[in-house]
Amino acid sequence: MDEIKTLVDKIRQEAEREDFPVDLPIYQGAGKIPTQPILYAGNLDSNICFFGRDLGKDEVAQGQPLIGSAGKMLRKGFYQGVYHQQPSSPEDLQSICDRAILTNTVPYKPPGNKAYTIKVKERFRPFIAQLLAIYWGGNQIVTLGTEAFKWFAPYGPKEKLEEFWQRGDRYEAQLPITLEAVDFQGTKHQRQVSLLPLPHPSPLNKRYYAKFPQMLQQRINKFEF
């Protein structure tokens, strides 16, 4: 799609405009251009989006979001929930891209395992907002972790998002919001979507790591495909 290529080109131009932290050794080791964004993987006509924080080394190496250890846990659980059987090959895990898109708050890998600053997130927000509000056709966004959920704060009353995040059932409930984006011609776009938060499936997340597969299945059971 020419429009998506233009979006990716614009992100790269923005990355080249002014330096920001990027894990250069990881990009160099993978033979990848550090300013080339890894924006998303999957089917833009799908109804589901998995929204993470940022890229890891495996994502840089393979050129798509959510394909490291945490991403594989997500993909495995999604495959099992959709097809009611265990994935048996990398091709099975990749096939979930037919049923969803996977993306992040920033389409680059930060140095180490540190989250990008608010300044960097805001710098690339307009492009991510375009992806979700203009080019993706779905309306269910599964946010993975606190950083991913709070990226959506500008699209709803602040007190409403904070109140939702403090709820004990936030990982079972949904929050409707209105995404907003401005295209490169200056036209404003709005779309209603629902946020379905989950904890991030990282081995470092000791509180929720073991529980994540079951929590994901509960979400999948309520999806509208």
Side-chain angles (χ1 to χ4, degrees), residues 213-224:
Q214 181 181 357
M215 298 170 77
L216 175 60
Q217 291 308 310
Q218 290 173 346
R219 284 295 194 199
I220 293 171
N221 291 340
K222 297 178 181 178
F223 279 164
E224 296 176 6

Side-chain angles (χ1 to χ4, degrees), residues 37-168:
I38 298 171
L39 180 57
Y40 80 100
N43 180 2
L44 290 171
D45 293 325
S46 67
N47 206 30
I48 299 158
C49 170
F50 291 104
F51 191 82
R53 194 187 78 180
D54 42 50
L55 302 169
K57 62 180 178 62
D58 293 320
E59 283 75 16
V60 172
Q62 299 195 48
Q64 57 180 295
L66 292 165
I67 202 163
S69 59
K72 285 176 180 174
M73 175 182 273
L74 171 71
R75 290 170 182 240
K76 180 179 178 181
F78 187 52
Y79 184 94
Q80 186 176 353
V82 171
Y83 298 110
H84 308 293
Q85 62 185 36
Q86 293 283 345
S88 60
S89 68
E91 290 75 23
D92 284 348
L93 294 181
Q94 186 62 25
S95 73
I96 72 132
C97 289
D98 296 334
R99 307 296 293 268
I101 69 164
L102 306 99
T103 189
N104 290 301
T105 66
V106 178
Y108 295 100
K109 185 190 182 309
N113 196 34
K114 305 272 188 179
Y116 273 117
T117 63
I118 292 175
K119 180 180 179 181
V120 173
K121 288 177 186 173
E122 291 306 306
R123 181 173 165 187
F124 292 100
R125 173 182 296 279
F127 307 107
I128 305 301
Q130 281 194 39
L131 174 69
L132 295 177
I134 301 174
Y135 301 113
W136 172 56
N139 61 12
Q140 299 172 97
I141 301 177
V142 179
T143 61
L144 301 169
T146 305
E147 297 275 350
F149 177 82
K150 293 193 173 181
W151 184 89
F152 291 92
Y155 308 111
K158 183 177 180 181
E159 63 278 3
K160 185 176 180 182
L161 269 82
E162 287 296 334
E163 178 184 324
F164 181 91
W165 192 246
Q166 297 305 317
R167 288 172 51 171

